[in-house]
Amino acid sequence: MTVTAVKIRYFAGARAAAGVADEDLQLDDSEPTVALVVSTIGERHGSKLGKVLAASSFLLDGVAVRDTSVRVPAGSQLDVLPPFAGG
């Protein structure tokens, strides 16, 4: 089985909910999707992060992800961006 390594970076409320600024994730999947990565980190960190993830947007290697069925290549970086307040 192929393992895919992904770097996850958390910002603002996502960082607070996850309890870490970033982490490396190893997935036993050769072609994981953004949805799989998001569900995996939600399971890892619990319901507090799960609530933040439901409202968050994501950047995959610096590009906004609109479709979570997008494949995540090995060595990619996924940024978790919760809604930001202010203006």
Side-chain angles (χ1 to χ4, degrees), residues 7-79:
K7 175 79 160 192
I8 312 296
R9 296 192 314 168
Y10 300 100
F11 293 87
R15 179 181 293 181
V20 295
D22 58 63
E23 66 183 315
D24 294 317
L25 183 65
Q26 304 288 324
L27 296 163
D28 293 330
D29 190 323
S30 62
E31 293 187 31
T33 62
V34 171
L36 177 63
V37 173
V38 171
S39 69
T40 301
I41 60 177
E43 290 170 9
R44 176 181 282 187
H45 294 287
S47 63
K48 187 174 179 183
L49 180 61
K51 290 176 185 174
V52 173
L53 292 171
S56 292
S57 56
F58 307 96
L59 298 177
L60 180 60
D61 293 329
V63 178
V65 174
R66 305 260 184 262
D67 178 1
T68 59
S69 68
V70 169
R71 297 287 178 190
V72 178
S76 293
Q77 178 174 287
L78 186 72
D79 295 336

